[in-house]
Amino acid sequence: MKKINKWPNHSVLLIAIIATWIKTYVVYKTSFNIKIENGMQEFILFLNPLAFILFAYGISLYFKSEKGRNRYLITISSIMAFVLYANVVFYRFFNDFITLPVLFQTTNFGDLGSSVFESIYIYDILYFIDIAIIVAAIKWLPNAVQSVSKSLFRRLYFVSVIAVLFMNLGLAEAERPQLLTRIFDREMLVKNLGMYNYHLFDVYVQSKSHAQRVLADGSELVEVNNYIRANQAEPNPELYGMAEGRNLIMISLESLQSFVINNEMNGEVITPFLNELTKDPNTYYFSNFYHQTGLGKTSDSEFILENSLYPLNGAAVFTTNSGNTFNGMAQRLSDKGYYTNVLHANNKSFWNRDMMYPKLGYDKYYDQDSFVVEEGEAVNWGMKDIPFMEQSVDLMQEMPQPFYSRMITLTNHYPFTLDEEDKMIQEYDSNSGTLNRYFQTVRYMDEAVKVFFEDLKESGLYENSIIVMYGDHYGISENHNDAMSRYMGKEITPFESAQLQRVPLFIHIPGYEGGKVIDEVSGQLDLRPTILHMLGIKTDRDMQFGADIFSEEHEEFVVFRDGGFVTDEVVYTKNTCYDKATGIEIDGAACEKDTERAQKELKYSDQIINGDLLRFYDNKTGNLIKPDSE
Ligand code: GP9
Ligand code: MN
């Protein structure tokens, strides 16, 4: 006897749609920090998974057999659950959404191993709950009887998919005009288009950028060149060439933010050695210096200081564009007879460094194989900073002079773990273990820098060198705002978050007495021209966006990779304009002109990188090279 069917037709499909829809929304709310300002934004967030889910699951209507249809539903829901979950894990670590090029950085993901593992928990199984619901529905619901004609139902179904999609896009456009044309913020894309559509869009954008290189012929450079030449800053004659012929040592201070400098944590000094340096007459200390990195983190900071170009949005430029032509700072110094090298005790392929360094003009990469890691000398991501510093000085003693050595520290890296014997101060006592431990690893790094200075003096290299040290990017993400606000004693508004992007910059010149604290607003893009000028190397033909910080013409204007910016008067972040002195939100008109300029710079820089335009530029003559003579 046939079972009496009390269930309406396509119940499984309906249950699948609702299960994945609700799950996605719950995941948005619980696993990401998506800022919602009003009811409409909340509604868009709620609605945005629907169009894609309807479409993807709706394909099942074209399957002839029930079995095929069910199998398809399970497969597609698994793929979608996996995509969503991968974003959750990625977000825990990077505080950002996945983009296509990042997925191809498989070597990095291998090395990220321990950190990713720390970001996966047993209860994560709940992220796949919709699949279980769909399987249960398939199993327990009786077979349905076809009531409406198949093709009519399908037609009605897909018309409603389009209606939902247009409603979503319409609301998003009203809420965020130019969303799809400007795309400087992935969070906004996910918030308005939904996670699944965002990935489709990302595929489209990435393939377009690939096409950009193929199509570029160098003619775009005329406009870019005009902009760069018009905004160029002449070197300060008093400082130009003041360190000519000296060794240049640059130290990347992992995850170091400015808020710890000249500050205390529960009565303990966090960076005693660096604090002394801020008062030292041999040192310029920059208290309003900002990092400008994006997803590529340390590698972005390296890219910026070598090229004075912006890193890419949503991709680590070290991995996506290592085939490009560049005019790295290392190249410039190499041309002047410097022995150029990087010292970093990590796997050479991490961040694609082994490919990128020769392109930037480096003679040698002293990777982890150049260091000896004794028992107890490794923690967290690898070799501890103190033995790394000691062995680096040993290596420098063997180098031909003058040399340009860039050192990258590692101990002060998330998750900020240390061996007991290396803890020199107590943990902090907030609800964030990350922030609590951060102070201890920062304190350790400070000690490592001190050891470096002592060893360098002993080696005899100190007097004939200049030492530049900078924080590569933030260490404490916005996920720890509660704990941060407890430490800072104030609410972490978007304005404060932008201010927390300040990282320390020290330029230490042994024997020079004119050092002081400089509070002018500057950023990582300014490093290249500033340093080259100090070494007596001109940059007036270089395609660079930063400017010599010591120049009279240096402007206080720092653009973040997400389109936000800081000047001496305003801070623009998350589409809001703030008065810099007070942190109070002000009328957007005060930021409007600079918003356009920021967008323009980012666009020009992206054009150079995506189109690989420097292959059409002769930096010796400043002339454009015609494509056919390439
Ligand atoms: C890895 C080190 C850290 O070699 O530079 O990279 P990060 O995760 O900070 O980009
Ligand atoms: Mn880093």
Side-chain angles (χ1 to χ4, degrees):
M1 215 182 92
K2 217 173 151 206
K3 266 191 272 181
I4 298 180
N5 185 13
K6 278 190 266 168
W7 290 87
N9 199 11
H10 302 304
S11 298
V12 171
L13 176 60
L14 185 71
I15 288 171
I17 291 167
I18 293 175
T20 303
W21 181 13
I22 302 296
K23 182 203 76 175
T24 307
Y25 178 68
V26 172
V27 172
Y28 283 167
K29 296 304 288 179
T30 53
S31 309
F32 305 107
N33 249 329
I34 301 176
K35 205 173 122 217
I36 298 291
E37 284 153 358
N38 54 44
M40 181 48 93
Q41 292 187 1
E42 190 72 63
F43 178 69
I44 296 174
L45 186 74
F46 174 70
L47 180 74
N48 77 34
L50 187 58
F52 186 82
I53 294 172
L54 281 174
F55 176 77
Y57 287 3
I59 306 273
S60 70
L61 294 171
Y62 288 90
F63 281 80
K64 292 221 168 63
S65 76
E66 179 115 6
K67 214 172 176 186
R69 187 184 313 162
N70 292 340
R71 250 190 225 152
Y72 170 79
L73 275 180
I74 293 169
T75 311
I76 195 80
S77 61
S78 304
I79 294 173
M80 287 164 65
F82 178 77
V83 167
L84 189 63
Y85 178 63
N87 274 284
V88 169
V89 175
F90 188 79
Y91 197 90
R92 285 177 186 157
F93 193 71
F94 289 106
N95 207 21
D96 207 331
F97 302 97
I98 293 177
T99 71
L100 198 61
V102 165
L103 285 185
F104 293 108
Q105 292 166 198
T106 43
T107 43
N108 279 352
F109 275 113
D111 290 327
L112 280 174
S114 72
S115 314
V116 168
F117 195 66
E118 295 228 357
S119 307
I120 292 179
Y121 311 101
I122 183 79
Y123 62 73
D124 285 357
I125 196 87
L126 288 174
Y127 287 100
F128 299 87
I129 194 159
D130 53 332
I131 306 172
I133 294 174
I134 296 168
V135 171
I138 290 170
K139 202 158 176 225
W140 285 306
L141 289 190
N143 287 348
V145 179
Q146 190 71 36
S147 47
V148 203
S149 106
K150 244 190 181 161
S151 62
L152 177 64
F153 181 81
R154 279 197 298 237
R155 225 172 298 149
L156 286 174
Y157 182 95
F158 281 98
V159 166
S160 47
V161 173
I162 292 170
V164 173
L165 180 67
F166 274 93
M167 176 158 126
N168 188 164
L169 290 177
L171 290 175
E173 182 63 27
E175 187 57 38
R176 258 314 321 146
Q178 289 183 300
L179 177 71
L180 298 186
T181 42
R182 294 175 80 182
I183 30 166
F184 46 81
D185 185 3
R186 269 177 298 287
E187 177 176 313
M188 228 177 275
L189 285 173
V190 173
K191 184 161 127 182
N192 286 289
L193 298 184
M195 184 68 82
Y196 311 114
N197 292 332
Y198 153 71
H199 283 295
L200 286 184
F201 185 65
D202 183 48
V203 168
Y204 161 75
V205 171
Q206 301 300 345
S207 6
K208 204 171 93 181
S209 104
H210 182 74
Q212 260 173 302
R213 184 185 193 278
V214 179
L215 296 174
D217 63 3
S219 55
E220 308 90 326
L221 268 181
V222 177
E223 192 184 331
V224 182
N225 194 30
N226 287 343
Y227 175 85
I228 288 178
R229 298 286 83 91
N231 289 290
Q232 196 158 309
E234 283 296 307
N236 179 335
E238 273 173 44
L239 294 172
Y240 184 82
M242 55 107 75
E244 194 166 347
R246 288 202 196 199
N247 304 313
L248 167 64
I249 300 170
M250 293 204 64
I251 307 181
S252 162
L253 301 169
E254 178 58 47
S255 302
L256 189 64
Q257 291 176 236
S258 299
F259 76 89
V260 293
I261 305 289
N262 289 324
N263 210 346
E264 290 186 355
M265 184 275 302
N266 288 344
E268 303 200 77
V269 179
I270 311 157
T271 54
F273 183 73
L274 295 176
N275 293 354
E276 282 309 309
L277 278 188
T278 64
K279 299 169 198 125
D280 169 46
N282 294 172
T283 308
Y284 285 104
Y285 171 65
F286 298 81
S287 57
N288 267 315
F289 179 78
Y290 292 79
H291 84 81
Q292 294 169 289
T293 63
L295 262 184
K297 295 289 199 80
T298 309
S299 66
D300 276 359
S301 73
E302 299 180 63
F303 181 82
I304 295 170
L305 81 90
E306 286 294 335
N307 301 300
S308 190
L309 296 172
Y310 291 89
L312 290 182
N313 188 18
V317 58
F318 258 43
T319 30
T320 54
N321 290 78
S322 62
N324 278 23
T325 300
F326 293 107
N327 183 17
M329 184 157 80
Q331 189 61 57
R332 297 302 307 277
L333 290 168
S334 187
D335 292 347
K336 288 277 171 191
Y338 274 72
Y339 172 61
T340 55
N341 57 87
V342 177
L343 302 127
H344 181 45
N346 197 0
N347 171 352
K348 68 175 176 0
S349 63
F350 197 91
W351 283 134
N352 203 26
R353 286 180 172 116
D354 53 341
M355 300 289 144
M356 194 60 167
Y357 286 165
K359 288 279 180 176
L360 296 172
Y362 280 102
D363 298 322
K364 166 90 180 157
Y365 179 17
Y366 297 92
D367 64 60
Q368 63 184 17
D369 295 339
S370 304
F371 295 85
V372 183
V373 184
E374 303 283 358
E375 177 85 27
E377 285 187 345
V379 72
N380 195 5
W381 276 47
M383 188 178 191
K384 293 181 183 176
D385 286 348
I386 291 180
F388 164 69
M389 292 292 186
E390 291 167 343
Q391 290 183 32
S392 294
V393 176
D394 293 344
L395 288 166
M396 284 174 189
Q397 283 182 283
E398 305 298 317
M399 292 177 191
Q401 296 191 53
F403 58 76
Y404 163 32
S405 286
R406 202 150 58 67
M407 302 160 68
I408 305 172
T409 62
L410 199 52
T411 307
N412 187 42
H413 194 290
Y414 179 85
F416 311 113
T417 44
L418 276 186
D419 287 336
E420 276 313 312
E421 70 262 26
D422 296 318
K423 294 180 179 167
M424 296 167 212
I425 56 174
Q426 294 298 306
E427 275 194 21
Y428 185 51
D429 51 9
S430 73
N431 63 3
S432 157
T434 300
L435 179 64
N436 297 350
R437 292 188 300 274
Y438 179 72
F439 293 101
Q440 293 181 312
T441 45
V442 168
R443 176 64 187 84
Y444 175 85
M445 181 161 62
D446 181 84
E447 197 66 20
V449 174
K450 182 177 156 199
V451 168
F452 176 74
F453 271 66
E454 285 166 1
D455 282 16
L456 196 69
K457 283 179 185 165
E458 243 171 64
S459 74
L461 292 167
Y462 175 76
E463 302 294 337
N464 193 35
S465 302
I466 73 165
I467 301 143
V468 180
M469 301 187 286
Y470 64 95
D472 60 351
H473 50 75
Y474 69 82
I476 303 299
S477 75
E478 289 175 20
N479 292 336
H480 306 277
N481 273 358
D482 277 354
M484 266 309 270
S485 79
R486 179 174 137 81
Y487 176 71
M488 306 286 284
K490 56 184 165 190
E491 193 197 338
I492 307 300
T493 58
F495 168 81
E496 293 295 342
S497 284
Q499 291 299 75
L500 282 171
Q501 304 316 307
R502 277 178 294 190
V503 295
L505 167 64
F506 299 87
I507 300 182
H508 180 80
I509 312 130
Y512 174 76
E513 293 293 318
K516 58 182 178 207
V517 177
I518 295 184
D519 59 9
E520 194 165 328
V521 172
S522 59
Q524 286 171 332
L525 267 95
D526 297 330
L527 281 169
R528 182 185 192 277
T530 305
I531 294 163
L532 285 176
H533 288 170
M534 289 176 81
L535 297 177
I537 297 170
K538 286 202 178 118
T539 64
D540 56 346
R541 293 220 168 99
D542 293 1
M543 286 290 185
Q544 63 186 5
F545 290 94
D548 184 340
I549 314 177
F550 294 120
S551 165
E552 289 287 316
E553 294 162 355
H554 176 264
E555 288 178 81
E556 300 195 60
F557 179 55
V558 171
V559 180
F560 298 137
R561 181 55 259 196
D562 67 359
F565 61 85
V566 180
T567 72
D568 48 339
E569 287 173 356
V570 295
V571 169
Y572 180 76
T573 182
K574 307 256 178 239
N575 303 301
T576 312
C577 191
Y578 296 89
D579 179 73
K580 178 142 191 289
T582 61
I584 294 171
E585 197 175 323
I586 53 173
D587 191 88
C591 285
E592 207 168 311
K593 239 181 86 216
D594 286 325
T595 310
E596 272 166 36
R597 178 163 169 209
Q599 289 300 322
K600 192 185 249 186
E601 281 212 12
L602 290 167
K603 186 185 90 181
Y604 286 156
S605 178
D606 288 350
Q607 274 181 347
I608 291 181
I609 297 166
N610 291 327
D612 188 11
L613 297 186
L614 295 186
R615 68 195 148 127
F616 303 122
Y617 183 70
D618 182 343
N619 50 284
K620 301 223 163 53
T621 60
N623 292 335
L624 300 187
I625 301 167
K626 294 218 176 65
D628 48 357
S629 63
E630 201 192 356

